[in-house]
Amino acid sequence: MRKSLHGIHHITAISSDPQANVDFYSRILGLRMVKQTVNYDDPSVYHLYFGDAVGSPGSILTFFPFPDAQAGKVGNGQVGAIGYSISAESIDYWVDRFSRLGIKFAGPFERFGEEIITFSDSDGLPLELVADSNRAGQSWSDSPVPAAHAIKRFSSAALLVSSNGSTAELLTDILGFEKIAEEGNRQRFAAGSSDDRQLIDIVVDPQGRRGIPGPGTVHHIAWRCLDKDQEDWRKTVAKQGYNVTSIIDRNYFHSIYFRENSGILFEIATDEPGFTVDQSELELGSRLSLPPWLESKREDIVRKLPSLSIGTKPVSQIE
Ligand code: ZN
């Protein structure tokens, strides 16, 4: 069998207000903040992780919030819309929930035979709910969204590029994804096994503007691999001429990074050791977690970070 990565591990985006991240992703979308930590390269900035009950690979959207940064612009050379999987029976629930909470959305409409609703977070990050009934992942028991309608993990992600070719080849010939469909300027690739599949779309727009990094845009997308395979993946990517980093310890996973030819930053991250390496499942996200090498500076780091209200129950001004 051809070697293949196991789909999306996590996606990391830039935001402005960390509190707005918590309010939107936990209180409106019903995801669990499984980890609050800092950017290891700049501990004055939070790094917030939202996912399913345990932060399963394939469910994790993370943010670097820069409260004073100028908004970015989504465009070519970036990941565009991020799709979350919901049950086909949940479309009405989400239409009603968004309407009630004043979240602007479009749809439902159909793409590749699936119903989708499109919307954005408070920074304008493009998101979609996709009724693909992929039930992988564990819903979070304290979620304000009932388990039957819960978002558990990503359905898909779009890669925005200005020309066809090299990105598609990278996905199929090197990363091992399978091209399964094409509709207009959108090509669709499948990753993972058939009962645990995620979809990657390449959207080609030669006239599209180039993305500008900043709040409301994706910083990078990470693909999944096992620890034992990571060095092989590093060698495979390097052999194809990509400038790939050595393996970096991200505390919850190990990572390598490289930029594909359209400019999108790719990471390959391991499933191991996961988010329970420094907190029990019950405690996930309940306090600031720091890696061993920053723990001695905790007081100083906490003083410089904006305060964050992480109450898990919906706040009265939202519901
Ligand atoms: Zn990452």
Side-chain angles (χ1 to χ4, degrees):
M1 216 176 83
R2 190 169 55 156
K3 193 170 76 158
S4 164
L5 287 167
H6 303 287
I8 302 168
H9 182 284
H10 68 269
I11 296 174
T12 293
I14 305 167
S15 62
S16 55
D17 177 13
Q19 189 63 54
N21 281 150
V22 175
D23 290 347
F24 192 83
Y25 288 92
S26 284
R27 292 169 174 168
I28 293 177
L29 296 189
L31 297 166
R32 185 177 190 185
M33 185 168 72
V34 290
K35 200 62 71 178
Q36 45 164 323
T37 181
V38 293
N39 181 339
Y40 294 169
D41 303 319
D42 177 4
S44 70
V45 176
Y46 273 116
H47 194 183
L48 305 178
Y49 292 67
F50 299 90
D52 73 355
V54 293
S56 305
S59 76
I60 312 152
L61 182 58
T62 92
F63 289 94
F64 293 125
F66 290 90
D68 302 321
Q70 204 176 357
K73 287 196 171 119
V74 178
N76 286 339
Q78 291 179 343
V79 173
I82 298 164
Y84 277 115
S85 180
I86 58 168
S87 157
E89 293 76 50
S90 299
I91 285 279
D92 291 348
Y93 170 85
W94 283 98
V95 165
D96 177 64
R97 182 169 177 81
F98 284 168
S99 305
R100 204 159 36 82
L101 300 178
I103 307 297
K104 279 191 212 150
F105 65 93
F109 52 87
E110 205 180 287
R111 183 194 295 146
F112 292 115
E114 290 167 343
E115 269 196 297
I116 65 170
I117 299 172
T118 62
F119 61 107
S120 314
D121 75 3
S122 50
D123 288 306
L125 186 74
L127 299 165
E128 298 174 349
L129 294 180
V130 183
D132 63 2
S133 296
N134 183 329
R135 305 320 285 154
Q138 295 180 43
S139 58
W140 170 41
S141 55
D142 279 346
S143 172
V145 176
H149 302 302
I151 292 171
K152 293 178 182 172
R153 58 172 226 156
F154 300 127
S155 156
S156 52
L159 310 181
L160 309 181
V161 303
S162 58
S163 66
N164 212 343
S166 132
T167 308
E169 266 171 39
L170 171 62
L171 295 193
T172 54
D173 298 358
I174 301 169
L175 307 187
F177 302 158
E178 185 191 357
K179 185 171 175 184
I180 56 167
E182 189 158 358
E183 201 177 277
N185 64 341
R186 185 179 287 261
Q187 301 167 67
R188 172 152 284 194
F189 302 81
S193 56
S194 54
D195 56 342
D196 184 22
R197 176 178 95 150
Q198 285 169 319
L199 301 168
I200 316 302
D201 288 353
I202 293 181
V203 181
V204 184
D205 182 0
Q207 268 80 51
R209 71 178 174 205
R210 196 150 179 85
I212 299 171
T217 65
V218 169
H219 185 266
H220 64 265
I221 185 164
W223 314 107
R224 281 177 75 179
C225 79
L226 297 174
D227 249 354
K228 68 177 178 58
D229 298 329
Q230 192 165 40
E231 184 55 31
D232 277 351
W233 278 109
R234 208 187 70 76
K235 285 182 188 145
T236 301
V237 168
K239 209 167 122 193
Q240 298 298 323
Y242 291 95
N243 189 6
V244 58
T245 66
S246 54
I247 295 173
I248 299 170
D249 181 4
R250 294 302 188 194
N251 214 28
Y252 308 112
F253 39 85
H254 300 107
S255 298
I256 57 174
Y257 301 84
F258 64 100
R259 212 171 274 283
E260 58 83 46
N261 293 336
S262 296
I264 305 171
L265 185 60
F266 279 9
E267 174 181 346
I268 298 176
T270 59
D271 284 7
E272 305 92 347
F275 295 104
T276 50
V277 71
D278 62 356
Q279 281 179 318
S280 70
E281 194 177 316
L282 195 68
E283 295 167 325
L284 286 176
S286 59
R287 72 191 285 265
L288 186 75
S289 301
L290 293 173
W293 63 92
L294 290 176
E295 194 55 60
S296 64
K297 298 176 187 144
R298 173 177 285 271
E299 237 176 78
D300 194 41
I301 288 171
V302 169
R303 202 174 44 240
K304 288 176 183 157
L305 287 168
S307 65
L308 206 54
S309 155
I310 57 159
T312 54
K313 298 292 176 198
V315 287
S316 56
Q317 61 264 40
I318 294 178
E319 292 199 86

